[in-house]
Amino acid sequence: MATETVSPACTGSSLLQPISEIINLPLDQVNFVVCQLCALLTAFWFRLYLHPKRSSPFIRHVVATLLGLYFALFCFGWYALHFLVQSGLTYGIMILTGVEHMHKYCLVVALGYLSFCQITRVYVFDYGMYSADFTGPMMVITQKITSLAFEIHDGRFIRRVYLLMSAPQHMYLLWLVSCRRMPSLLEYFSYNCNFMGILAGPTCSYNDYIAFIEGGTCCHRDFETSRKACGKVKGSEPSPNTVVVQKIATCFFSLMVFLLVCKVFPVERNIDDDFIANTPFYAQVVYLYLSMLTTRPKYYFVWTLADAINNAAGFGFNGYNLDGSPRWDLISNLRIQNIELATSFKVFLDNWNIQTAHWLKRVCYERCPYNPTAATFILSAMWHGAYPGYYLTFLTGIVVTLAARAVRHNVRPYFQCSPAHKLLYDVITWASTQIAICYTVVPFVLLSVGPSIKFYRSVIGSACPLDVLSRKFRSSVFKITQAKRNLISCRRKGNRGLCAVGVKTQLLSQPLMKAQSTRGDLCATHLSGYSILLWLIQTIQI
């Protein structure tokens, strides 16, 4: 009887099936949470009893790898062998191929193997299984494999890359993560499959991980802050206990919010025919925001718990603040407050899935010779999986990112004239950013093409009344552009009397540095908050 109730989506151990039935959660999710809690307890033991001062790096590597493989087998069964196959294939490529091209081959093979597993899982075994699955850890392993390959490549060809990187900060960060030697097989599998990060990551630099195992000093990312403060407490080894307790409390709160609120605002209701037909547009927007807001706590729970596990083991120390307090955010994956209060698309992305963003930046954005933004979003879509909704989300993200850059570059300078206008700008951009994020991410949650297209059509159809306002705003912009052309023509002809009519129009098109003396007049006239709001709404509709 017990075997009949086991979730078909779970390929791991059925030992916790009774607990799964009692709390009414899928078995694979129960296995995942229990393994992460066991990893948290093991991390404290690992830091106290296998400290670098008490045990050799070899012992620490062996224990971390064996525990990681055991947790993987418990959660995913024989599917965990894919972790070893993917790691083994790419290690062979690193050994057999030249350093100059190994990073390219590793990227193709690791990403190709991941995509093969994702496609077979989605379209062969179980379509729509949006929970813990074996391709999740493979996504993190893919990041680690490719990061290490690029680090080795950069370490061997450091002078050539220095010539390509013009900014000193890029040079410094490149020096931080570059690897000067090939890791041994044990070090390689320990880096990819250690118990602290095999189930939920996060990705970290190979040099940072080896420094943690060997008891060395990690090179802190925010080196200016750390360099100023380290003099006060240099040589001390801070305890992570306080920050681990804080992160566990955040995990508990996020889990409770997700379990209690998520079912109240299901995302699928956004495409319900009755809801679309009988609900005003403003109410649909509010519900869209609330429904997407309640999907984020599960990510907060998983990533914060993963960060707490690494910190409990002593990994993740990132120097000291100016007041001397230790920082444990070296491999943190999110900043919740910055996410919820983000006033731009970029701020949201910079604080969401941080280590993946760093990986995409190092592997693609900084190296792509043309259209790096589009290439980065496409690589992110391929890495996430085979569901069409992922591609719809990231293709939409390209347009929203470019539009947000244009709006910020052209509009923001005119709102810096007073604190009141700054506050108005922040409120408008916060609301617009949250709506844009929700609009972009809905296909990511719905997964399929049909529901996603239905959502897009419902939003565009409901927004038709706003199109009238948007057309009026575009008409005013057209008139301003025409007035600007007349102004330029008048100046060329030397007729300053007629030019006086177009002074304010000129200010709309001039950069901030050329309009310092008339900021107050500009902020009070053409660029009112209402006009900017219409502009942003039209941007979102694109």
Side-chain angles (χ1 to χ4, degrees), residues 269-295:
R269 194 181 179 191
N270 287 287
I271 58 174
D272 182 73
D273 293 332
D274 294 336
F275 177 77
I276 296 172
N278 301 322
T279 306
F281 175 71
Y282 70 88
Q284 293 185 36
V285 172
V286 172
Y287 183 85
L288 172 64
Y289 170 71
L290 293 176
S291 63
M292 298 307 299
L293 179 65
T294 57
T295 63

Side-chain angles (χ1 to χ4, degrees), residues 272-404:
D272 182 73
D273 293 332
D274 294 336
F275 177 77
I276 296 172
N278 301 322
T279 306
F281 175 71
Y282 70 88
Q284 293 185 36
V285 172
V286 172
Y287 183 85
L288 172 64
Y289 170 71
L290 293 176
S291 63
M292 298 307 299
L293 179 65
T294 57
T295 63
R296 293 201 281 264
K298 65 180 177 183
Y299 296 100
Y300 297 163
F301 168 76
V302 172
W303 288 337
T304 305
L305 180 57
D307 194 19
I309 293 171
N310 284 273
N311 294 163
F315 187 31
F317 177 60
N318 195 24
Y320 294 89
N321 294 309
L322 294 177
D323 59 359
S325 59
R327 297 177 55 187
W328 288 90
D329 59 352
L330 179 66
I331 55 174
S332 295
N333 227 4
L334 76 166
R335 303 183 186 95
I336 298 177
Q337 183 176 356
N338 293 347
I339 290 172
E340 299 302 338
L341 299 179
T343 57
S344 70
F345 204 74
K346 182 182 184 301
V347 171
F348 188 97
L349 296 180
D350 287 345
N351 293 280
W352 174 270
N353 206 353
I354 297 172
Q355 301 307 319
T356 296
H358 288 170
W359 171 70
L360 291 169
K361 182 179 180 181
R362 291 195 302 265
V363 171
C364 182
Y365 187 83
E366 292 181 345
R367 303 174 192 265
C368 186
Y370 49 88
N371 291 332
T373 299
T376 302
F377 274 99
I378 293 174
L379 176 60
S380 181
M382 295 175 61
W383 175 78
H384 273 88
Y387 286 111
Y390 296 162
Y391 288 85
L392 289 175
T393 288
F394 289 104
L395 291 176
T396 305
I398 297 174
V399 179
V400 174
T401 299
L402 297 177

Side-chain angles (χ1 to χ4, degrees), residues 402-413 425 429 532 535-536 539:
L402 297 177
R405 287 179 185 174
V407 171
R408 180 177 177 85
H409 176 74
N410 292 286
V411 175
R412 184 177 180 273
Y425 178 83
T429 52
I532 300 303
W535 192 348
L536 294 174
T539 301

Side-chain angles (χ1 to χ4, degrees), residues 158-179:
I158 193 73
R159 294 182 180 178
R160 181 184 303 179
V161 179
Y162 269 2
L163 294 176
L164 296 177
M165 297 292 187
S166 58
Q169 185 178 7
H170 286 166
M171 294 182 184
Y172 178 79
L173 294 177
L174 182 63
W175 175 78
L176 279 180
V177 300
S178 63
C179 183

Side-chain angles (χ1 to χ4, degrees), residues 13 15 35 38 64-77 80 193 195 198-199:
S13 173
L15 179 66
C35 282
C38 291
T65 304
L66 293 179
L67 286 174
L69 293 177
Y70 175 77
F71 289 149
L73 287 170
F74 187 87
C75 283
F76 309 110
C193 303
F195 75 94
I198 191 170
L199 296 183

Side-chain angles (χ1 to χ4, degrees), residues 89-111 144-157 179-183 188 363 367:
L89 284 175
T90 50
Y91 189 77
I93 291 175
M94 292 181 185
I95 295 295
L96 298 176
T97 60
V99 179
E100 187 173 0
H101 300 291
M102 62 180 295
H103 58 300
K104 301 175 183 178
Y105 296 148
C106 285
L107 177 62
V108 172
V109 173
L111 191 62
K144 292 182 176 181
I145 290 170
T146 53
S147 294
L148 177 58
F150 277 88
E151 290 168 12
I152 295 174
H153 169 77
D154 294 343
R156 299 290 182 90
F157 291 87
C179 183
R180 309 299 173 86
R181 66 175 181 87
M182 273 291 299
Y188 184 72
V363 171
R367 303 174 192 265

